[in-house]
Amino acid sequence: MIAFYAVLVFMIVSAIIACEIKDLLGAVIAMGAVGFSQGLLFLMLQAPDLAITQVVVEVLTLAIFIAAISRSTRVDTTKHILPASIVGICVLVLVIIGTIQAIGFLPPFGSPLMRVSDFYIKNGLVQTGAPNIISAIILDYRGYDTLGEATVLFTATIGVLVILRNRGKQKDK
Amino acid sequence: MLPYVFCIILIGIGLYTVLTKKNLLKIVIGFCLIEYGVNLFIVMVGYRWNGLPPIMLTPDDKTLFVDPIPQALVLTAIVIGLATTAVLLAIVIRVYKRYGTLDLTELKRLKG
């Protein structure tokens, strides 16, 4: 459990660095540290599929971020505006206090409500034939969810291609 | 209850970045931080002490497994997060090509 909290603290520190550093490449690398430590946490929370997906997606995200930085600028030239950051900190404190009040209503960490999941765990292997219950859920019980995910991915790809298109409509050529 | 608080602090840092930073890339980084915090929170809600990953070769009622539904939903959310980040960064690249700056205050000045 100590390793778990150590990774959580490392994650928070990296997030603060990513927020405050002036070098944008450094900020992106700190964000990558947050993402990879999140993959580690997924492994500790007994979610190996998520850990694999998170690491792959994190590599892709970092590649896209670095491509964006290499096409724009690396230094953050914006000035620090004091009233805006005071308002931001006030909103932040309010959100944190409110959410901590709200999570008091959740079941405590480590003992989830599993009314639906118990059905999946009991019958998943027999009904779908998949040894991994997570693949049974995303590909069989909730297959339409995955169809929607593929649609979103396809639409986003088309969106990126349209936004980054260099040639517009050319007249008389 | 303590691990939940760490997630909420992470979401809060992301929210602070989105609210106060004036650089477009910093804002995209803030969105990514919020996404990480929310994903981690949802997976933590499904964790069970001494639970194993829900993978079995024979039907098994005795072993304790962690909750598979949050993991399945977060698996979808991670991939969708990549898609939204890609679209946001494409918009950032386009804005830089058009205006030559990532500063939001400069962009506002160019508008008039």
Side-chain angles (χ1 to χ4, degrees):
Chain A
M1 220 49 201
I2 296 171
F4 183 72
Y5 285 113
V7 179
L8 273 176
V9 171
F10 174 71
M11 204 169 161
I12 300 290
V13 173
S14 313
I16 293 172
I17 292 172
C19 172
E20 287 301 333
I21 198 169
K22 279 290 176 192
D23 185 1
L24 286 176
L25 199 60
V28 168
I29 289 170
M31 199 202 77
V34 178
F36 283 115
S37 55
Q38 198 196 18
L40 214 58
L41 285 173
F42 283 154
L43 208 58
M44 290 177 186
L45 290 168
Q46 307 292 341
D49 316 72
L50 283 184
I52 297 167
T53 318
Q54 173 66 34
V55 169
V56 172
V57 165
E58 191 57 41
V59 170
L60 281 174
T61 312
L62 288 185
I64 300 170
F65 261 105
I66 289 170
I69 287 178
S70 69
R71 275 169 178 72
S72 58
T73 174
R74 187 177 158 174
V75 267
D76 181 3
T77 52
T78 55
K79 289 183 196 72
H80 199 68
I81 302 171
L82 194 62
S85 55
I86 290 174
V87 171
I89 287 175
C90 289
V91 171
L92 181 68
V93 169
L94 279 180
V95 166
I96 287 179
I97 290 175
T99 327
I100 286 174
Q101 297 288 323
I103 62 174
F105 294 99
L106 282 175
F109 180 70
S111 51
L113 294 174
M114 291 177 65
R115 287 190 204 126
V116 186
S117 322
D118 274 336
F119 175 82
Y120 289 157
I121 287 174
K122 264 180 202 146
N123 304 314
L125 183 58
V126 180
Q127 284 183 347
T128 65
N132 190 346
I133 302 297
I134 295 163
S135 4
I137 291 175
I138 61 171
L139 294 178
D140 201 313
Y141 287 116
R142 300 187 180 212
Y144 284 118
D145 237 9
T146 311
L147 182 65
E149 176 199 340
T151 316
V152 169
L153 208 58
F154 186 63
T155 318
T157 315
I158 293 175
V160 170
L161 287 180
V162 169
I163 292 169
L164 289 184
R165 189 179 50 174
N166 270 330
R167 284 173 295 146
K169 196 192 282 180
Q170 292 183 343
K171 287 176 185 170
D172 304 325
K173 274 186 182 176
Chain B
M1 211 45 72
L2 190 59
Y4 293 157
V5 177
F6 279 100
C7 287
I8 288 161
I9 293 173
L10 189 60
I11 298 172
I13 293 169
L15 200 60
Y16 173 78
T17 313
V18 174
L19 283 177
T20 60
K21 298 295 169 188
K22 297 288 177 193
N23 189 298
L24 283 176
L25 259 168
K26 277 284 174 72
I27 292 175
V28 181
I29 289 175
F31 274 112
C32 283
L33 291 179
I34 295 178
E35 182 203 318
Y36 293 150
V38 171
N39 286 344
L40 192 60
F41 181 74
I42 296 175
V43 174
M44 273 184 186
V45 169
Y47 180 69
R48 174 183 268 187
W49 292 116
N50 302 321
L52 289 176
I55 301 171
M56 58 187 101
L57 287 176
T58 51
D60 187 355
D61 282 342
K62 296 181 189 79
T63 322
L64 281 180
F65 291 116
V66 295
D67 196 346
I69 293 181
Q71 298 191 12
L73 296 183
V74 167
L75 201 62
T76 313
I78 288 174
V79 179
I80 288 178
L82 172 69
T84 50
T85 309
V87 175
L88 282 173
L89 284 174
I91 294 172
V92 169
I93 293 173
R94 189 41 95 179
V95 165
Y96 188 79
K97 263 188 196 163
R98 181 87 165 75
Y99 296 106
T101 177
L102 289 179
D103 192 345
L104 272 179
T105 48
E106 291 284 324
L107 286 176
K108 208 189 297 173
R109 204 171 296 149
L110 285 171
K111 193 176 129 193

